[in-house]
Amino acid sequence: MVAAGVHRPGPLKQQNKAHKGGKHSGSSHRRAGGEVGRARPGSPPALLAAAILTLLLLSGRVSVKAQPRRRLRDLSRVDRRHQALQLRRQRKEAVLAEKRSLGSRDGPPHLVVLVPLHSRAAAHDTLHLLQSQDSAVVCVAEGRVGDFALLCPRLKQRWRFVTAQAGDLHAVLDLAKVADSLLFILDPTDGWDSAGDYCLSCLFAQGFPTYALAVPGGTDLPPKKRIDARKKLAKAIEKRFPEAKLFPLNTEQESSLLLRHLATQKQRHLAFRDRRPHLLAYAAEFVPGQESDLIGTLKVSGFVRGQTLSVNSLMHIVGHGDFQMSQVDAPPDPLSLSPRVVKGQKRKQDMEIQDDSANGTDEMEEDTKVLMKADPKKQESLQSEVVPDPMEGEQTWPTEEELQEAEASLKANRRVVKVPKGTSKYQAAWIVDDGEGGSEKDDDDDDEDDDMMEEAVSQEGESSEEEGEPAEEDCETMTIPESLRDDQYDEKVEEDEQMLERYKQERMDEMFPDEVDTPRDVPARVRFQKYRGLKSFRTSPWDPKENLPRDYARIFQFQDFSRTRKNLFRQIEKEETEGALVGWYVTVHVCNVPVSVMESFKEGKPLVLFSLLPHEQKMSVLNFLVHRHPSNCEPVRAKEELIFHCGFRRFRASPLFSQHTSADKHKLERFLRPDAAVVVTVYAPITFPPASVLLFKQRSNGMHDLIATGSLLSVDPDRIVIKRLVLSGHPFKIFTKMAVVRYMFFNREDVMWFKPVELRTKWGRRGHIKEPLGTHGHMKCHFDGQLKSQDTVLLNLYKRVFPKWTYDPHVPEPVPWVRSESALPVQEVEMD
């Protein structure tokens, strides 16, 4: 009998499925007779599985290539741990091999660039301490201050130290492109000044290799103040260099610790230089050509870095252009660690100094061996542009009847024009009457705001001249001292007025984006005849090959740029290129080089050479993704000339700004926005990303201001940049869903012309034009709801724009940078 109170399950009790462990079942489940996991070789389950697998393979059901992947997936825990351990060991051995090869007998010397970040930084004392190493040989380069090599045969290490000139921005950036380590020289009290902070901003944006911070001096301070100054300096560098270590540099022992740190720290890689062969000139010689003494062959000697150097590739000299190579020689290594290099030299105070000539000695020239010569069939071409054929798109020749009709129409339209004496018929056809000149408007600039700004500036100049005329009549003679320099002061005032006008235009564009006033003297259908309306900016189609400019016939375009880039980088990683290996000391013969390159090298400026990848000399459309630098707040308009530092190149161009979106169309930005990422579009030589980019703007005094930083986004001529114009009108009479709108157009024909374009309002209403009212531009419009009296009716027009061909590879040398104090804060600009 069942005890009372015991629960009996009914017929609707929930029945849960039993848990199935699958291949993740534990050992206890397998021991209990569950699903068989991994069988031992030779066991009956393993033999049965092997037999079944053989039958499946014979029947053609299982692919043979799929078996290794299956074995990898079925690795046990111990095998997976062993595999991960092997991968860690391989990576660790690769890092150690890189450390050992850098500065060793077989690798290039460890290139260290000294960058003083303060005007009081003692760079000379640092060089003296580094040269005072025991059992070391110092090789001083002749004619270049602060350039020497340090050889340590006992440690089997060799260094080359190059000092960047303080304030020379191009020298610092060029040396940072090829340096293995950067040694920043700080002031013991302040660390760095404004110029040093500006230099750090540029280096961080470009990307720099491994670095170290050295603080020479500070011994004249009392011990207590010395500790406080060190704590203050450590706190100051924490923002720029988190977790960085300061190395005092006052004794030989401290300099030895610094050298050991430079030799053993892990190297940071820059992608744009690791995939390209490059070298820093150790010596150079110019051989004039037969036709002219201004162009000749430049023989540059240095150590190959990055990748294997091929003589058939093109060579880019930073700041000077692209050139071809004729041959590559292998002279004796001037910085060899072998004992015969230092044999017979006299020691003085346990330090040996060896002077090397910049052009090499006669003995070295006798031992020079020719490694390779350029093959004209395999050598890369210097062609950078496509030469368009003007007759390529020409249609059939017109018939005689068509020619006669054209002549008759010309006679019918013939007009009488007063021309100067001696003017031909062809010249007279280009003369425009005064009446016709007012009806046509030049639309080449593609920016109405430029015209408005020029008119405003001209009106201000005329008013200032009118106000200045009575002052000249009532003037009296005075003796003005030369120290006042009123002319220079007036120039600064004029620059401030122009800057204020730019601030106002930038604020107007921010408050009323893309809005323009409809002209009253020119019909809107004529003024905006190149624009079109779109149902939706995001989804409406736009053919990227439609109405391309003539400059597009001069550029190169890839069928698939990303695939070409991947294939090229895969070849660099796998295939072995024939040429000079990394670490070899070679002499490169560069053809057709102007003599100005050698003159700049003699002046002490660095000579940096990069070997180009295939297609990198050809012109195309480059898109850069940049952010506004926080240190610059001046307005920057589109199509202003800017200076670009892209990877190993620098050039000047006038870019377009556009929004960075995932759509197929991108709206043009008239100004460089400070709060969003902007895409910059220019005509420039092809460069394979990744590559950093720095944008500078040249002041009137020659200084270069950093305005934006970013990276190379793509090489894509098909990227569509759309300029938007917004015509605005105001509701005059409002009904339920109807409204009468005025001030958008000023004649009946314009209303009929733009009738198909959809209307929208600032409050979100949408509608269309029903019909014109009268002859003064009033129109009846229908909307999806009743308008508010304070609402504004808008009509959007769109046009594709293209950058201007303003590429200029010549960039003038910048003046030493000084912080500008004349910039107006944005908060002080008041709108009228």
Side-chain angles (χ1 to χ4, degrees):
M1 182 176 178
V2 180
V6 177
H7 174 71
R8 292 184 179 181
L12 301 178
K13 181 181 181 297
Q14 180 180 356
Q15 298 290 336
N16 295 328
K17 290 184 178 180
H19 177 68
K20 296 181 180 180
K23 63 179 181 180
H24 299 293
S25 58
S27 58
S28 60
H29 180 69
R30 290 195 296 269
R31 284 195 299 268
E35 183 182 353
V36 178
R38 191 180 181 189
R40 297 188 306 272
S43 61
L47 295 176
L48 180 61
I52 294 174
L53 181 61
T54 305
L55 291 175
L56 291 174
L57 287 174
L58 292 176
S59 62
R61 290 187 179 182
V62 180
S63 173
V64 179
K65 294 183 179 179
Q67 297 309 310
R69 296 182 181 178
R70 183 175 180 181
R71 293 196 195 102
L72 288 176
R73 286 200 304 267
D74 294 342
L75 289 177
S76 64
R77 181 180 299 177
V78 177
D79 294 339
R80 290 197 302 269
R81 287 181 178 177
H82 183 61
Q83 187 182 30
L85 180 62
Q86 288 180 336
L87 292 176
R88 285 198 299 269
R89 285 178 178 175
Q90 290 177 2
R91 288 193 292 265
K92 187 176 181 180
E93 289 175 359
V95 172
L96 291 177
E98 183 183 7
K99 288 182 180 179
R100 296 189 187 104
S101 63
L102 185 61
S104 63
R105 187 187 306 272
D106 298 329
H110 193 139
L111 180 58
V112 182
V113 176
L114 278 71
V115 183
L117 296 180
H118 201 283
S119 57
R120 297 195 303 266
H124 179 74
D125 298 341
T126 303
L127 295 175
H128 182 71
L129 281 173
L130 293 173
Q131 292 177 1
S132 61
Q133 297 295 317
D134 295 336
S135 67
V137 179
V138 179
C139 303
V140 181
E142 183 179 354
R144 296 195 298 275
V145 180
D147 188 353
F148 68 93
L150 192 64
L151 309 180
C152 296
R154 183 173 60 86
L155 301 177
K156 298 182 180 180
Q157 286 286 330
R158 53 181 180 172
W159 290 271
R160 182 185 175 188
F161 293 90
V162 181
T163 305
Q165 299 179 2
D168 192 349
L169 180 63
H170 283 180
V172 173
L173 294 179
D174 292 348
L175 289 173
K177 290 180 176 71
V178 295
D180 297 317
S181 299
L182 294 180
L183 181 57
F184 295 110
I185 311 299
L186 307 180
D187 183 70
T189 56
D190 298 333
W192 54 75
D193 53 8
S194 61
D197 186 74
Y198 176 71
C199 179
L200 286 177
S201 299
C202 298
L203 288 175
F204 271 101
Q206 177 180 271
F208 56 83
T210 312
Y211 63 89
L213 306 177
V215 187
T219 56
D220 53 344
L221 296 175
K224 292 184 178 180
K225 291 186 177 181
R226 196 180 307 169
I227 296 175
D228 294 340
R230 186 175 180 84
K231 290 182 179 179
K232 181 181 177 182
L233 183 59
K235 188 176 181 180
I237 69 171
E238 186 177 358
K239 182 179 179 181
R240 283 284 193 183
F241 305 98
E243 301 179 1
K245 183 180 179 182
L246 287 173
F247 287 89
L249 204 59
N250 297 316
T251 61
E252 295 183 6
Q253 184 179 4
E254 292 174 346
S255 63
S256 300
L257 291 176
L258 178 60
L259 286 178
R260 182 177 299 177
H261 174 73
L262 291 174
T264 57
Q265 64 182 349
K266 183 180 179 180
Q267 295 296 314
R268 300 172 62 181
H269 295 275
L270 297 179
F272 75 88
R273 76 175 186 185
D274 289 343
R275 293 189 174 99
R276 297 172 178 86
H278 57 277
L279 58 91
L280 175 64
Y282 184 76
E285 179 185 359
F286 183 79
V287 180
Q290 298 179 357
E291 299 179 357
S292 174
D293 295 340
L294 301 178
I295 297 178
T297 301
L298 184 65
K299 300 179 181 179
V300 183
S301 301
F303 293 90
V304 180
R305 302 172 184 270
Q307 296 290 335
T308 303
L309 176 63
S310 174
V311 71
N312 293 320
S313 61
L314 297 180
M315 185 65 72
H316 176 80
I317 303 178
V318 177
H320 299 281
D322 303 335
F323 304 94
Q324 288 181 331
M325 292 179 286
S326 58
Q327 71 179 41
V328 177
D329 301 338
D333 190 351
L335 305 179
S336 177
L337 291 172
S338 58
R340 64 181 181 85
V341 176
V342 298
K343 184 177 180 180
Q345 296 180 354
K346 297 182 179 180
R347 291 179 175 268
K348 184 178 182 180
Q349 296 180 358
D350 297 332
M351 181 181 69
E352 301 180 1
I353 299 180
Q354 175 186 1
D355 295 335
D356 292 339
S357 173
N359 299 329
T361 58
D362 297 336
E363 297 178 358
M364 292 173 59
E365 293 180 356
E366 294 177 359
D367 299 338
T368 300
K369 300 178 181 179
V370 179
L371 284 180
M372 64 195 88
K373 291 188 177 182
D375 186 0
K377 297 181 180 180
K378 299 180 180 180
Q379 195 172 23
E380 289 283 343
S381 173
L382 282 173
Q383 181 184 5
S384 61
E385 301 178 17
V386 178
V387 180
D389 185 6
M391 301 299 294
E392 184 177 1
E394 191 67 25
Q395 297 180 355
T396 56
W397 189 258
T399 61
E400 295 182 359
E401 297 179 356
E402 293 176 347
L403 292 175
Q404 292 176 0
E405 291 179 1
E407 292 179 359
S409 61
L410 288 176
K411 291 180 180 179
N413 297 330
R414 185 170 297 174
R415 52 192 173 85
V416 179
V417 181
K418 292 183 179 181
V419 297
K421 190 175 182 180
T423 305
S424 62
K425 293 183 179 180
Y426 178 77
Q427 294 173 340
W430 288 94
I431 297 178
V432 183
D433 291 343
D434 296 338
E436 294 184 358
S439 62
E440 297 182 359
K441 192 171 183 179
D442 188 11
D443 196 31
D444 295 339
D445 212 13
D446 288 336
D447 204 336
E448 292 77 19
D449 294 341
D450 286 342
D451 301 334
M452 296 166 60
M453 183 185 69
E454 292 173 1
E455 291 175 4
V457 173
S458 62
Q459 289 176 4
E460 290 179 5
E462 292 174 1
S463 61
S464 61
E465 291 176 1
E466 293 175 1
E467 294 174 1
E469 288 177 0
E472 292 177 359
E473 295 176 359
D474 301 338
C475 63
E476 59 181 355
T477 305
M478 296 178 61
T479 303
I480 301 177
E482 295 181 358
S483 59
L484 291 179
R485 292 187 287 186
D486 290 342
D487 52 347
Q488 297 182 4
Y489 186 80
D490 292 340
E491 292 178 0
K492 293 182 179 179
V493 172
E494 292 177 359
E495 292 179 1
D496 291 343
E497 291 178 355
Q498 295 178 3
M499 188 62 63
L500 180 62
E501 186 67 28
R502 286 191 174 187
Y503 275 117
K504 287 184 178 181
Q505 292 180 7
E506 184 182 26
R507 181 66 62 85
M508 286 291 294
D509 185 66
E510 184 178 355
M511 294 172 60
F512 308 100
D514 303 325
E515 290 193 27
V516 297
D517 295 331
T518 306
R520 306 195 64 173
D521 54 345
V522 181
R525 63 186 183 278
V526 176
R527 177 63 187 89
F528 306 122
Q529 59 184 349
K530 295 184 179 180
Y531 292 81
R532 69 180 70 173
L534 294 179
K535 178 68 176 177
S536 172
F537 182 81
R538 185 178 62 88
T539 60
S540 296
W542 197 301
D543 186 7
K545 304 297 184 182
E546 176 186 359
N547 294 333
L548 297 179
R550 183 172 291 272
D551 291 336
Y552 264 54
R554 303 166 58 185
I555 64 174
F556 291 85
Q557 183 177 3
F558 294 94
Q559 188 173 4
D560 191 345
F561 177 74
S562 60
R563 184 178 61 185
T564 305
R565 173 178 170 272
K566 289 180 181 178
N567 294 337
L568 184 61
F569 288 170
R570 193 181 296 114
Q571 293 176 4
I572 294 175
E573 293 176 359
K574 293 184 178 181
E575 297 182 6
E576 295 183 0
T577 307
E578 296 182 357
L581 300 180
V582 176
W584 288 8
Y585 183 79
V586 298
T587 299
V588 180
H589 296 246
V590 187
C591 304
N592 299 326
V593 180
V595 70
S596 59
V597 179
M598 188 63 192
E599 293 175 354
S600 65
F601 181 70
K602 290 181 179 180
E603 293 174 358
K605 297 178 181 178
L607 187 60
V608 179
L609 285 76
F610 273 85
S611 180
L612 299 181
L613 299 178
H615 313 296
E616 283 196 328
Q617 79 279 10
K618 301 174 182 177
M619 297 290 292
S620 187
V621 178
L622 271 63
N623 302 303
F624 306 101
L625 180 62
V626 301
H627 291 264
R628 186 73 174 267
H629 196 264
S631 64
N632 184 273
C633 60
E634 297 181 1
V636 181
R637 292 183 58 88
K639 299 185 181 179
E640 282 190 19
E641 186 181 70
L642 301 178
I643 297 172
F644 290 77
H645 288 239
C646 176
F648 53 89
R649 293 184 186 272
R650 58 174 176 258
F651 55 89
R652 293 185 293 175
S654 300
L656 290 179
F657 302 145
S658 59
Q659 294 180 352
H660 179 51
T661 59
S662 59
D664 60 342
K665 295 181 289 296
H666 312 273
K667 192 177 81 68
L668 176 75
E669 292 287 350
R670 287 179 168 82
F671 289 89
L672 186 62
R673 299 297 181 188
D675 55 348
V678 177
V679 176
V680 178
T681 304
V682 292
Y683 290 111
I686 295 172
T687 303
F688 290 99
S692 60
V693 61
L694 286 76
L695 269 65
F696 293 88
K697 186 177 179 181
Q698 186 171 355
R699 296 188 202 167
S700 57
N701 56 4
M703 296 182 189
H704 292 180
D705 285 335
L706 179 65
I707 62 172
T709 60
S711 59
L712 177 60
L713 180 63
S714 64
V715 180
D716 186 12
D718 288 341
R719 189 177 187 273
I720 302 176
V721 180
I722 302 296
K723 179 182 178 181
R724 184 182 72 173
L725 284 185
V726 180
L727 304 181
S728 59
H730 302 278
F732 178 50
K733 294 180 181 180
I734 300 176
F735 303 97
T736 305
K737 287 190 176 182
M738 302 288 291
V740 178
V741 180
R742 61 179 179 178
Y743 300 148
M744 182 177 289
F745 303 108
F746 298 100
N747 57 72
R748 185 184 183 91
E749 290 78 9
D750 288 346
V751 177
M752 295 299 296
W753 180 268
F754 291 100
K755 186 178 179 181
V757 184
E758 187 182 16
L759 301 177
R760 68 179 181 88
T761 69
K762 290 188 175 181
W763 286 50
R765 295 298 180 189
R766 291 186 176 272
H768 59 274
I769 302 173
K770 294 285 290 183
E771 58 181 353
L773 299 177
T775 59
H776 295 286
H778 291 205
M779 56 187 180
K780 184 189 296 184
C781 305
H782 182 274
F783 295 92
D784 57 358
Q786 190 173 13
L787 298 186
K788 302 290 185 181
S789 59
Q790 64 271 28
D791 205 348
T792 305
V793 182
L794 304 176
L795 185 142
N796 294 338
L797 298 175
Y798 303 94
K799 179 184 69 171
R800 185 179 179 183
V801 292
F802 302 90
K804 290 186 176 181
W805 193 288
T806 55
Y807 173 77
D808 186 5
H810 174 68
V811 178
E813 290 292 330
V815 177
W817 188 83
V818 178
R819 185 180 297 276
S820 176
E821 303 294 343
S822 61
L824 297 174
V826 180
Q827 292 81 3
E828 295 183 2
V829 181
E830 298 180 357
M831 302 302 300
D832 295 336

